[in-house]
Amino acid sequence: LELSPAARRRCTLSGADSGGIKDERLATCQHYAHVLQADYDNAELMALVLVANRMPLFMASETISKYKEVQIHGPVRLDADVVALHVPESEDDAKLQSFAKRNGIRYYTFGQALNSCTLKGL
């Protein structure tokens, strides 16, 4: 799922499980460089740059070599905070499409080739 810019501004992120870590290991979308430097390997950084430039729009979760965490603070309104839903073709169904339409969320499906896309596949 893809969050709106307003929802992203209400997020805190970490390069590991945030339970018990020091405050300086937490970040926001606007201030994340210290986490990138400490907790991302070269492949993860390359994937981040590609997706940030929408080349491609997203990558398979296998690209992430270790756990990353995002927490959204405050209520999440589907009609305002979620702008897109990216669904594998194998999971596509009328209920998901109806859910997206009802909440004004863009709906994308992608094939198996993209589902397994990692940097090794590019």
Side-chain angles (χ1 to χ4, degrees):
L1 88 109
E2 186 178 334
L3 295 175
S4 71
R8 285 186 223 149
R9 285 190 292 275
R10 294 186 284 120
C11 292
T12 53
L13 306 98
S14 62
D17 185 344
S18 65
I21 67 172
K22 294 182 179 184
D23 291 349
E24 58 264 14
R25 297 221 22 231
L26 296 174
T28 64
C29 289
Q30 294 85 1
H31 304 281
Y32 199 68
H34 63 290
V35 173
L36 292 173
Q37 187 176 29
D39 294 321
Y40 281 67
D41 63 28
N42 287 342
E44 290 171 322
L45 289 170
M46 181 60 73
L48 180 82
V49 168
L50 290 171
V51 172
N53 287 289
R54 299 192 172 279
M55 309 171 4
L57 289 174
F58 53 88
M59 295 186 88
S61 59
E62 292 87 7
T63 306
I64 301 169
S65 65
K66 62 181 182 173
Y67 178 79
K68 310 291 189 251
E69 186 173 293
V70 176
Q71 293 187 16
I72 306 168
H73 302 278
V76 176
R77 291 192 41 194
L78 297 173
D79 62 342
D81 296 323
V82 178
V83 296
L85 201 57
H86 301 267
V87 179
E89 286 176 348
S90 62
E91 301 293 326
D92 182 27
D93 71 14
K95 286 183 181 179
L96 283 175
Q97 292 176 24
S98 175
F99 167 83
K101 186 174 184 176
R102 189 170 56 250
N103 289 287
I105 299 170
R106 291 189 312 263
Y107 188 86
Y108 300 100
T109 59
F110 57 95
Q112 188 59 36
L114 281 177
N115 189 27
S116 61
C117 181
T118 64
L119 282 178
K120 293 176 188 138
L122 293 177

